[in-house]
Amino acid sequence: MRAVFSVFAGVAWLLAAAPALPHHSFAAEFDVNRPIQVTGTVTSVEWTNPHAWIFMDVEDNDGNVQNWAIELVGLNSLVRRGWTRDRVKEGDIVDVTGFGARDGTNTGNASAVIMANTGERLWESVDE
């Protein structure tokens, strides 16, 4: 009986840990001391696990266009907040605030996404 319990407990532990394996640490990739605020035109949206991504063209102060990759939360969180695949589309202009990548690339983790032309708050990071 003891062996059966040990096997059961081991399997339960492995199953509980499995969903966390592919996830990454926010602090490993993004820097809370590097806040970003970018406005740009959406070039594509990817609904992928574990996070959705918005890719957008942003014009810098010199008039150069740079492509940014913005990480959102997981798909389930977006769906619970009313998002569908066509909520943000190519050509939409959005304002994004969040935190930049530690490696200095044009990558960020969004804390808010707002439609630039209407001011509609599409998404904002909240504790769940």
Side-chain angles (χ1 to χ4, degrees):
M1 187 64 160
R2 183 181 228 172
V4 171
F5 177 75
S6 294
V7 169
F8 177 75
V11 169
W13 180 83
L14 286 173
L15 290 175
L21 291 176
H23 201 85
H24 62 87
S25 165
F26 171 89
E29 293 191 36
F30 301 101
D31 186 354
V32 295
N33 295 313
R34 188 174 171 236
I36 61 166
Q37 183 170 1
V38 293
T39 300
T41 304
V42 174
T43 57
S44 67
V45 178
E46 291 184 6
W47 281 59
T48 57
N49 276 325
H51 298 275
W53 289 82
I54 295 175
F55 295 90
M56 55 195 288
D57 284 338
V58 177
E59 191 174 311
D60 66 16
N61 294 335
D62 297 326
N64 301 314
V65 174
Q66 300 180 6
N67 189 258
W68 276 78
I70 304 295
E71 182 185 58
L72 301 173
V73 292
L75 301 180
N76 287 336
S77 294
L78 290 174
V79 170
R80 281 195 310 267
R81 293 175 184 168
W83 278 49
T84 61
R85 285 186 177 266
D86 62 348
R87 184 66 183 107
V88 175
K89 300 176 287 303
E90 183 178 332
D92 286 345
I93 300 173
V94 294
D95 294 324
V96 175
T97 57
F99 301 97
R102 286 193 172 280
D103 64 7
T105 60
N106 291 343
T107 305
N109 181 279
S111 56
V113 178
I114 300 168
M115 290 296 268
N117 58 348
T118 65
E120 178 186 3
R121 187 171 297 275
L122 300 176
W123 180 75
E124 182 173 31
S125 180
V126 294
D127 294 331
E128 293 185 4

